[in-house]
Amino acid sequence: EVQLVESGGGLVQPGESLRLSCVASGFTFSDYWMIWVRQAPGKGLEWVANIKQDGSMKQYVDSVKGRFTISRDNAKKSLYLQMNSLRDEDTAVYYCVRPKSRGFDLWGRGTLLTVSS
Amino acid sequence: DIVMTQTPLSLSVTPGQPASISCKSSQSLVESDGKTYLYWYLQKPGQPPQLLIHEVSNRFSGVPDRFSASGSGTDFTLKISRVEAEDVGVYYCMQCVQLPWTFGQGTKVEIK
């Protein structure tokens, strides 16, 4: 089955770190750019970061630059998001997304990160 | 950043009736390759978003033909010819022509 499964969310305090993971199955992971998109509770969607197939190019929304790092392990068919210096406003469901061209055609079910003291 | 503005923000529709959502971008979504990188997604309750339309007007695989979309430059429209109960949720437009890729605020569609 073609799917993306996220994990690693949880409750952390402001200033702490956390790493999200996403495991892909059913398709050739190394053929695709990969993306993280987040959605704050009751709010809209926000693109967070992209990574090229070989990891050589990474792009971030300004609000996470310098704090978040996207990475991947093609051998493990896995995508990661290392999040440091977390803030209340980072609270969201984080979705792992596969783009086809630039359309986001495959989404995981998401993992919830809550940043609160 | 390109701002995506959707109207209306909510819509209550009688089953079988049409619905239309507008999406306007603050800048043209036409890239140098001639393509227009405008997409539509539907997020059903309790689910992740799903791709409906890619590059302005192309239905994604499996999307019913009651969904259609059009537009150019900065003005885009998603239409549902006859709304069904399964169409409820929040519809988002999104641009991928310039980083950061940005979404509209969402339009919540419910059934009367």
Side-chain angles (χ1 to χ4, degrees):
Chain A
E1 183 183 2
V2 177
Q3 64 177 354
L4 298 167
V5 179
E6 304 93 336
S7 62
L11 173 63
V12 298
Q13 295 191 343
E16 293 186 340
S17 299
L18 201 67
R19 189 178 83 155
L20 304 182
S21 299
C22 167
V23 177
S25 58
F27 65 97
T28 305
F29 180 73
S30 57
D31 282 351
Y32 293 86
W33 281 74
M34 291 298 294
I35 294 168
W36 287 101
V37 172
R38 67 183 179 183
Q39 184 171 36
K43 302 297 184 183
L45 301 165
E46 180 180 39
W47 167 79
V48 174
N50 285 350
I51 186 168
K52 197 175 178 180
Q53 289 92 329
D54 62 0
S56 63
M57 186 177 294
K58 303 175 184 181
Q59 299 162 324
Y60 301 92
V61 68
D62 281 353
S63 59
V64 309
K65 280 181 184 174
R67 300 189 300 122
F68 289 13
T69 302
I70 189 171
S71 63
R72 65 192 294 161
D73 184 334
N74 287 340
K76 295 182 177 179
K77 299 184 179 181
S78 293
L79 177 70
Y80 306 103
L81 188 65
Q82 176 66 42
M83 304 180 294
N84 299 330
S85 304
L86 283 163
R87 305 169 179 167
D88 289 353
E89 56 264 35
D90 296 319
T91 294
V93 173
Y94 284 74
Y95 294 103
C96 173
V97 180
R98 182 191 77 177
K100 181 177 181 180
S101 180
R102 297 180 200 178
F104 301 172
D105 76 327
L106 181 64
W107 297 66
R109 295 206 62 85
T111 187
L112 174 63
L113 167 68
T114 303
V115 184
S116 175
S117 54
Chain B
D1 298 2
I2 295 178
V3 177
M4 305 295 288
T5 303
Q6 291 182 229
T7 54
L9 297 183
S10 66
L11 207 47
S12 184
V13 188
T14 301
Q17 293 301 302
S20 180
I21 300 170
S22 170
C23 175
K24 296 183 187 296
S25 59
S26 59
Q27 300 175 37
S28 173
L29 302 186
V30 182
E31 196 168 275
S32 55
D33 61 6
K35 293 182 179 179
T36 302
Y37 291 98
L38 185 280
Y39 302 81
W40 289 96
Y41 296 88
L42 165 60
Q43 186 172 30
K44 297 183 178 182
Q47 296 185 20
Q50 58 190 80
L51 179 62
L52 291 178
I53 302 288
H54 60 97
E55 292 163 18
V56 180
S57 59
N58 301 287
R59 278 190 303 275
F60 185 58
S61 175
V63 174
D65 60 8
R66 63 179 180 274
F67 290 92
S68 64
S70 61
S72 63
T74 61
D75 287 354
F76 305 93
T77 303
L78 175 70
K79 294 182 179 179
I80 311 173
S81 59
R82 295 174 302 279
V83 172
E84 297 187 4
E86 65 181 26
D87 300 336
V88 300
V90 181
Y91 290 78
Y92 295 94
C93 60
M94 185 193 75
Q95 66 81 19
C96 286
V97 73
Q98 179 185 108
L99 290 175
W101 294 345
T102 48
F103 293 86
Q105 321 96 299
T107 295
K108 186 174 184 178
V109 172
E110 56 183 23
I111 297 295
K112 280 184 181 175

